[in-house]
Amino acid sequence: MTYELGSDLFVSHIFLSSSFSQHLTKSLLAVAFLASFGSSMLYGYNLAVVNSPAQYIKSFYNETMIETHGWSLDEEDLTVMYSLTVSIFAIGGMIGALLVGTLVTKYGRKGTLVRSTVLVFIAGGLMGFSRACRFPAMVIIGRFITGVHSGISLSVVPMYLGEIAPKNLRGFLGLMPSIHICLGVFIAQVLGLKELLGKEEYWPLLLSLVVVPTFFQLMLLPWFPESPRYLLIERRNVHATITALKWYRSKGNIQAEIEEMQEEQQSLSSIETVSVVGLLKDRCVRWQVITIVVVNIGMQLSGIDAIWFYTNDIFENAGIPSPYIQYTTVGTGAIEVISGTLGCFTIERLGRRPLMIGGFTFMGICCAGITVSLLFQAQLDIMRYVSVACVVGIIAGFCIGPAGVPFLMTAELFKQSHRPAAYTVAGCLNWLSNFTIGFVFPFLQMATGAYCYLIFCGICMGVAGYTLFIVPETKNKTFVEISQMFAAVNGILENESTELASTAGHLKMFKLNGYGTLGNHKEK
């Protein structure tokens, strides 16, 4: 009996691995890499790139003020200008998130990514030539424009990948952007080392390097097809849908995917894209909306941004010599990349819920650990190293699940008509929470001291509990099946069942004939 069970598990493992490799085509992998490399990676890069040249940027602001007005800025004014340079990225991101719904409906998912690259080239030019032009506003405006691009791409890339992926690969491809975000942070940390571009004369180049990955994306991404779901459900272009599916699928039943898309199309009350107001008023998606609100706010209010902001201070308190702190910070960036990769390659085996619950729970424990270590590090030297371990633990726990799964869940919990509005809501909350934690945390720390991390602990545990008791597992489920899973809690089970039954009857009329087109077939 034990032998047979072991054999069954082994065969199941081989089958799953074979199915995974069959559906993961070169085209899918290439488009996931290109979309993430030229967009998501820039978000991570821009988050970290201003840390290394901070003093040089402040000096540049002061020098130009002396040259223009004949007087210098005091330390407080310089801090305000630099804080504006950093935080305006989040303001731009919020504006970009507001544009997502309109852009993806008008230009499509891939079309939006390609068109938004112009923002990166404008921003890179402004920041790259700011020192030569002696105009500090060019840096601030450039940061704002890169924020708008990141606000757009942070929502559009997971939406695009979630729609082109077969259901058994949605998790794997959906976490590709989060890996590239981690990679962007790591690259910014490495290039910011004193031995590379971390010198005063190189800071404009460091800021403007964002144009390099975007250039490759602009050259190659237009050759790939648009999202098949967008083409069929919103554009009703059957021929283009079949062409796109054949491009992305080497094997598999295209007919079955066409029918699944039609099932989703028939289940929609309207093909028109729902507005944000319409999304918030629609009781049929009430708990889906609540879920994306909880996970997206929780992702930013988990304390990860505060940890990144104060990493150097924590390492300094742990007794790490100042010249070596930058290398230690790079080490945490490497851990971030490794953790993100681990999450990407395990999500289809473990599912979304375990990564979310485990990631947030581990972060909560580490936040509590930082509080304890800060309270007792004066009495116990070992507590200094405990605080470093907790920082690394928070980063690893965040990247293995909470960093990417919320974006994936936003794609999976909504049908085609509601998805753009859902990403607009999720993106705005994400950026607003990002800005809030950056602005409020210094005051929170002054008011509560080491106990402020207990607030983050409570938030992490709360999101983990919500995911455990409310959010269903969406692994290997179609978008219609996921909507049915939420139907009961939304109080529309009876209506939904009737609607889907009617849909199933209509679907029998639509078949894919031998010429690669859809036609009406009479039932015999």
Side-chain angles (χ1 to χ4, degrees):
M1 182 68 179
T2 305
Y3 171 77
E4 292 178 358
L5 179 60
S7 299
D8 290 342
L9 290 174
F10 177 75
V11 171
S12 175
H13 170 73
I14 295 298
F15 174 77
L16 288 173
S17 301
S18 175
S19 175
F20 186 91
S21 61
Q22 285 179 5
H23 287 95
L24 184 60
T25 62
K26 293 180 180 178
S27 297
L28 273 176
L29 200 56
V31 76
F33 174 79
L34 276 175
S36 303
F37 179 72
S39 298
S40 302
M41 192 174 74
L42 301 189
Y43 168 68
Y45 185 86
N46 283 303
L47 281 179
V49 72
V50 290
N51 293 334
S52 173
Q55 292 302 320
Y56 304 140
I57 294 174
K58 290 180 182 179
S59 298
F60 167 66
Y61 289 166
N62 198 34
E63 290 168 7
T64 53
M65 190 61 66
I66 294 173
E67 293 170 4
T68 306
H69 301 287
W71 50 274
S72 63
L73 297 169
D74 58 26
E75 190 62 31
E76 184 177 346
D77 291 334
L78 281 174
T79 302
V80 170
M81 284 194 68
Y82 178 73
S83 298
L84 177 63
T85 304
V86 174
S87 61
I88 203 166
F89 177 72
I91 297 174
M94 199 183 312
I95 293 175
L98 287 170
L99 299 174
V100 166
T102 302
L103 292 175
V104 297
T105 301
K106 184 175 182 180
Y107 300 115
R109 282 61 167 152
K110 184 202 72 174
T112 298
L113 289 178
V114 172
R115 285 170 172 81
S116 65
T117 55
V118 67
L119 296 173
V120 179
F121 292 109
I122 294 172
L126 287 171
M127 293 186 292
F129 292 104
S130 59
R131 189 181 183 192
C133 297
R134 312 302 292 172
F135 195 40
M138 292 173 68
V139 180
I140 298 174
I141 295 172
R143 286 280 296 171
F144 172 77
I145 295 175
T146 57
V148 175
H149 175 265
S150 292
I152 294 171
S153 62
L154 205 60
S155 294
V156 178
V157 172
M159 187 190 307
Y160 180 39
L161 298 183
E163 290 183 6
I164 67 173
K167 62 183 181 181
N168 68 315
L169 288 178
R170 272 204 314 263
F172 175 77
L173 293 181
L175 289 194
M176 287 285 282
S178 66
I179 293 179
H180 281 81
I181 292 172
C182 299
L183 187 61
V185 171
F186 179 65
I187 290 173
Q189 291 169 339
V190 171
L191 293 179
L193 294 174
K194 300 291 185 183
E195 294 83 356
L196 297 176
L197 299 181
K199 299 176 182 177
E200 185 170 8
E201 62 268 27
Y202 293 140
W203 69 262
L205 175 62
L206 187 63
L207 296 182
S208 64
L209 280 179
V210 291
V211 302
V212 176
T214 305
F215 174 78
F216 286 102
Q217 184 188 70
L218 181 60
M219 291 296 101
L220 299 175
L221 189 59
W223 297 98
F224 288 84
E226 182 56 80
S227 160
R229 289 183 176 275
Y230 171 79
L231 293 172
L232 180 65
I233 298 177
E234 297 187 41
R235 292 300 179 191
R236 297 175 179 263
N237 190 335
V238 178
H239 177 73
T241 302
I242 296 170
T243 302
L245 282 174
K246 287 181 178 178
W247 183 285
Y248 289 126
R249 309 285 188 267
S250 61
K251 296 180 180 179
N253 192 346
I254 293 179
Q255 169 64 42
E257 288 203 51
I258 292 284
E259 290 182 355
E260 188 264 313
M261 291 181 199
Q262 287 181 320
E263 182 181 359
E264 182 180 347
Q265 184 183 43
Q266 293 292 329
S267 69
L268 300 176
S269 58
S270 172
I271 302 300
E272 296 296 323
T273 302
V274 175
S275 66
V276 171
V277 175
L279 176 76
L280 298 178
K281 288 183 176 180
D282 191 350
R283 70 179 187 88
C284 296
V285 293
R286 180 182 302 153
W287 278 99
Q288 289 96 312
V289 172
I290 294 173
T291 297
I292 66 167
V293 168
V294 170
V295 298
N296 279 278
I297 291 180
M299 178 173 65
Q300 293 296 340
L301 299 187
S302 63
I304 186 65
D305 292 319
I307 290 297
W308 274 120
F309 190 77
Y310 283 91
T311 296
N312 288 357
D313 291 339
I314 294 174
F315 288 162
E316 186 176 349
N317 291 334
I320 297 175
S322 296
Y324 298 104
I325 288 179
Q326 61 174 340
Y327 303 107
T328 309
T329 303
V330 169
T332 62
I335 292 172
E336 189 175 5
V337 174
I338 294 170
S339 301
T341 305
L342 180 63
C344 184
F345 281 95
T346 57
I347 187 170
E348 294 299 353
R349 180 178 295 273
L350 299 177
R352 285 72 163 140
R353 295 176 75 251
L355 293 185
M356 286 285 286
I357 296 169
F360 274 112
T361 301
F362 191 63
M363 289 178 71
I365 294 171
C366 290
C367 283
I370 287 183
T371 298
V372 173
S373 65
L374 291 177
L375 289 174
F376 294 100
Q377 69 179 10
Q379 293 82 10
L380 299 171
D381 288 339
I382 194 174
M383 286 299 175
R384 299 180 183 271
Y385 303 101
V386 171
S387 64
V388 173
C390 288
V391 167
V392 173
I394 289 174
I395 294 170
F398 178 76
C399 294
I400 202 169
V405 176
F407 297 109
L408 172 63
M409 290 175 65
T410 306
E412 292 186 328
L413 298 187
F414 296 90
K415 296 180 185 178
Q416 195 79 11
S417 59
H418 292 67
R419 198 170 295 130
Y423 267 105
T424 298
V425 172
C428 287
L429 290 174
N430 202 297
W431 286 100
L432 182 62
S433 301
N434 186 315
F435 179 80
T436 300
I437 197 66
F439 183 78
V440 171
F441 180 72
F443 303 101
L444 184 66
Q445 190 181 45
M446 285 190 292
T448 61
Y451 294 101
C452 67
Y453 293 99
L454 291 181
I455 299 175
F456 299 138
C457 174
I459 293 173
C460 290
M461 293 301 185
V463 177
Y466 179 88
T467 306
L468 177 63
F469 293 108
I470 302 296
V471 181
E473 180 56 68
T474 57
K475 182 181 70 171
N476 287 334
K477 298 289 193 301
T478 68
F479 293 117
V480 174
E481 289 172 341
I482 294 169
S483 294
Q484 286 181 282
M485 293 165 66
F486 273 95
V489 292
N490 285 324
I492 57 165
L493 183 59
E494 185 176 347
N495 294 338
E496 184 80 2
S497 299
T498 302
E499 184 179 353
L500 289 177
S502 174
T503 297
H506 289 299
L507 281 175
K508 294 179 182 178
M509 295 190 300
F510 295 93
K511 293 294 178 184
L512 185 67
N513 65 29
Y515 298 97
T517 60
L518 290 176
N520 290 336
H521 289 251
K522 296 180 180 179
E523 292 183 78
K524 294 182 180 180

